[in-house]
Amino acid sequence: MISLSRRHLLTGAAGLAAAAALPRISLAQTAAPEGPFKLPPLPYATDVFEPHIDAKTMEIHHDKHHGAYVANMNNFAKTAPQLGQTPVEAILANLVNVPDGIRVGVRNNLGGHANHTMFWEIMAPNGGAPEGDVLAAIDRDLGGLDKMKERFNAAGLGQFGSGWVFVTVTKDGKLGIEAMPNQDTPLMYGKRVLFGNDVWEHAYYLNYQNRRGDYLKAWWNVVNWQKIGERYAAAKAGTLTL
Ligand code: MN
């Protein structure tokens, strides 16, 4: 009854004018519901990686793509509040415990949140070079820095469609290279990520279009080796999370 009379009221030119005057909910408001998941701010300006990664890509990638994963998780947390009370890496390692109806969504969006949180952290302008324990591990397990870059880039280039390429680290400090589809992460298999690169087209398309290989090569210019050294030490201490 109410909807019928409302529809009647809004019929015709007067109705169109009334509809146009109704308050509009902006996309920004619907895309960022409050909740336990937070978008970490970028620890640097969006233009610091030019020309290797352009400012517009950084802005859209962080604010819109990562922002959407966070917003989607906050929506899931409305129906499954335990999601907001469990460490992210523990949820991802036990997706079987997530309710059926949202399991795929949590896999994709929480994986995306974890991967991007790591990604912003392991990049920096003037990020130095690997040294000390992490360099020794790269030499021991991955054939040295040049060989590691070659294998990492090949794995990233070989990932069909969207995904990531990671260097994983065990608690013993042993390194490996793995590519994964979508927003999957080694965290889903109880592993830890030393660092990784995003090979979704949204990470490079404005500058590189189809040239993923060129992006993979250029990306090494923005890697934060100091932070990666800290992550390596944390992995061996058992305190590395995302
Ligand atoms: Mn991304």
Side-chain angles (χ1 to χ4, degrees):
M1 289 293 280
I2 291 170
S3 66
L4 269 178
S5 58
R6 180 172 172 78
R7 185 176 170 188
H8 179 74
L9 188 71
L10 293 177
T11 302
L16 284 175
L22 291 171
R24 297 181 61 188
I25 298 168
S26 79
L27 282 175
Q29 282 172 313
T30 54
E34 290 299 310
F37 296 93
K38 307 293 180 198
L39 178 63
L42 284 179
Y44 32 68
T46 53
D47 63 355
V48 293
F49 299 140
E50 293 199 354
H52 309 297
I53 305 177
D54 65 282
K56 194 68 178 173
T57 294
M58 287 297 295
E59 179 192 328
I60 296 171
H61 197 177
H62 175 269
D63 296 0
K64 305 300 183 187
H65 290 276
H66 191 175
Y69 303 134
V70 170
N72 290 336
M73 283 310 303
N74 282 329
N75 276 327
F76 292 137
K78 288 178 188 168
T79 54
Q82 69 273 21
L83 290 171
Q85 297 153 9
T86 310
V88 168
E89 65 277 12
I91 299 171
L92 288 168
N94 299 282
L95 284 169
V96 67
N97 294 338
V98 175
D100 287 349
I102 62 172
R103 187 174 302 126
V104 171
V106 169
R107 177 180 185 148
N108 290 335
N109 289 282
L110 195 60
H113 181 39
N115 283 335
H116 289 83
T117 299
M118 173 278 297
F119 188 58
W120 312 129
E121 180 177 285
I122 58 86
M123 295 193 291
N126 311 309
E131 55 187 35
D133 286 350
V134 73
L135 179 60
I138 289 168
D139 288 341
R140 182 192 65 219
D141 298 333
L142 302 176
L145 188 59
D146 290 343
K147 188 70 184 169
M148 177 193 73
K149 289 181 179 178
E150 189 183 309
R151 286 180 55 194
F152 185 94
N153 290 358
L157 196 58
Q159 174 58 48
F160 186 79
S162 298
W164 288 76
V165 52
F166 301 98
V167 170
T168 56
V169 56
T170 68
K171 203 178 172 188
D172 297 332
K174 184 166 175 49
L175 305 183
I177 294 176
E178 291 186 43
M180 292 191 173
N182 305 315
Q183 294 294 352
D184 285 2
T185 156
L187 297 172
M188 287 164 36
Y189 305 97
K191 299 179 182 178
R192 286 294 177 267
V193 173
L194 182 62
F195 66 90
N197 192 4
D198 187 343
V199 297
W200 282 58
E201 286 184 344
H202 69 222
Y204 62 84
Y205 206 82
L206 293 182
N207 250 7
Y208 296 92
Q209 293 86 45
N210 60 311
R211 302 186 309 279
R212 184 189 288 186
D214 290 349
Y215 160 71
L216 280 158
K217 282 180 198 163
W219 181 76
W220 293 104
N221 290 294
V222 304
V223 169
N224 185 349
W225 283 108
Q226 185 186 331
K227 180 59 73 175
I228 290 171
E230 292 169 16
R231 290 174 65 88
Y232 186 72
K236 291 181 77 173
T239 57
L240 183 62
T241 55
L242 303 186

